[in-house]
Amino acid sequence: MPLSVNKVEISDREINIESAFQEGSIEQRQTRAAVALAVREVLLQRARELHLDNAQSAEQDDDALIEELLAREVRIPERDESACRRYYEANPERFQSPSVAVVRHILLAAAPDDIETRDAARQRAEGLIAELRDAPGKFAVLARAHSACPSREQGGALGPISRGQTVAEFETVVLRLPVGLAQRALETRYGYHVVWIDERWEGEPLPYPAVSERIAQYLHEQAWRRAVSQYIRLLAESQEVEGIDLEAAQAP
């Protein structure tokens, strides 16, 4: 059945074009594209019903018309200070200064799909760790001799590392390691790393005044998304939509 909203048909070509902006399998992209276009048409028809397009300037497009419609018809509660404080108190882990580790490493490089080379890199890393247990002062020398990372020129020093500065699998481990030589090689997509933590500072809780605006903005955006979602569902129920079930498709 062709996709249409109140007898206004949405072509397969339009769906195919829109599907390029969606994610998932081909079938999922097609479904999500159909939902997006049907919702867009529902909103545009409502805007025209309210004659909002009469005031539209030549420079405005359909997106601007939809924004004007939502601004006019969707209402959310004003900022609630008590809700912000409750969110702050319920999510303390989200409001901390970043943990920092001062790191040195030796990278034994190996491609992710090269099992043989990765096994050899792991064994070399374990050998270097054993050598460093007996002679910790040799780290810089061994880094210059064995590391595949440009940091070898600085004796393997990466400097201070915090969340978001390196690949996730590396920082997740190093930000939890105690000061000193890591007793096991750290595996990442790049190979195996011999790691030494020189210093570390744990993140500290941020005071509420420092994050209150961020929390208020986050809660505002969440409330806005919920309100828009509810508005679209209620609006779609009164429209004649054929070719897709917006409720079953969980339209945004």
Side-chain angles (χ1 to χ4, degrees):
M1 179 184 295
L3 177 61
S4 66
V5 177
N6 297 322
K7 308 301 182 182
V8 176
E9 188 170 330
I10 297 170
S11 69
D12 290 341
R13 181 175 180 275
E14 291 175 282
I15 294 173
N16 289 335
I17 292 172
E18 176 64 27
S19 68
F21 301 99
Q22 306 297 327
E23 297 181 349
S25 65
I26 294 176
E27 182 178 353
Q28 289 172 328
R29 293 202 302 270
Q30 289 280 314
T31 299
R32 289 168 180 165
V35 169
L37 291 172
V39 167
R40 181 181 180 85
E41 183 61 31
V42 166
L43 293 172
L44 286 172
Q45 290 187 23
R46 175 59 176 168
R48 292 171 186 136
E49 179 185 341
L50 297 175
H51 305 293
L52 298 183
D53 55 333
N54 292 344
Q56 195 176 22
S57 69
E59 292 76 20
Q60 285 182 309
D61 57 14
D62 288 345
D63 289 337
L65 190 58
I66 290 172
E67 287 180 11
E68 185 177 349
L69 171 70
L70 296 178
R72 172 170 174 164
E73 298 227 297
V74 176
R75 292 289 180 268
I76 61 173
E78 293 297 322
R79 168 180 169 174
D80 184 344
E81 182 71 14
S82 62
C84 292
R85 284 193 173 275
R86 285 196 302 272
Y87 188 84
Y88 172 79
E89 293 167 1
N91 299 275
E93 72 284 353
R94 293 193 175 193
F95 307 110
Q96 292 188 332
S97 61
S99 297
V100 178
V102 180
V103 183
R104 287 181 283 161
H105 83 140
I106 300 171
L107 169 61
L108 291 311
D113 57 351
D114 190 338
I115 297 175
E116 185 175 337
T117 302
R118 288 186 79 83
D119 186 58
R122 177 183 57 78
Q123 294 183 41
R124 287 171 59 206
E126 291 174 351
L128 290 173
I129 290 172
E131 187 173 351
L132 286 166
R133 288 194 189 106
D134 296 330
K138 293 178 63 177
F139 195 100
V141 173
L142 294 177
R144 292 189 181 95
H146 299 282
S147 184
C149 177
S151 64
R152 65 180 177 271
E153 301 300 332
Q154 290 79 45
L158 293 174
I161 297 294
S162 59
R163 186 73 64 185
Q165 290 186 298
T166 65
V167 294
E169 63 267 29
F170 184 82
E171 65 187 27
T172 296
V173 175
V174 300
L175 292 176
R176 295 175 180 173
L177 288 173
V179 170
L181 175 67
Q183 298 303 302
R184 297 181 61 182
L186 193 166
E187 183 180 7
T188 71
R189 68 194 72 176
Y190 300 115
Y192 282 84
H193 306 251
V194 177
V195 175
W196 191 295
I197 307 297
D198 286 320
E199 296 180 77
R200 61 176 303 109
W201 303 284
E202 298 297 335
E204 297 182 353
L206 296 171
Y208 175 74
V211 296
S212 60
E213 286 300 322
R214 190 202 319 174
I215 295 172
Q217 179 66 24
Y218 172 77
L219 294 182
H220 175 84
E221 290 175 359
Q222 292 293 99
W224 170 255
R225 289 176 183 272
R226 287 193 296 270
V228 169
S229 179
Q230 183 180 27
Y231 171 74
I232 291 172
R233 285 192 172 93
L234 291 173
L235 185 59
E237 287 176 1
S238 63
Q239 310 302 306
E240 185 183 347
V241 180
E242 297 183 343
I244 193 166
D245 185 344
L246 289 183
E247 186 64 29
Q250 297 182 340

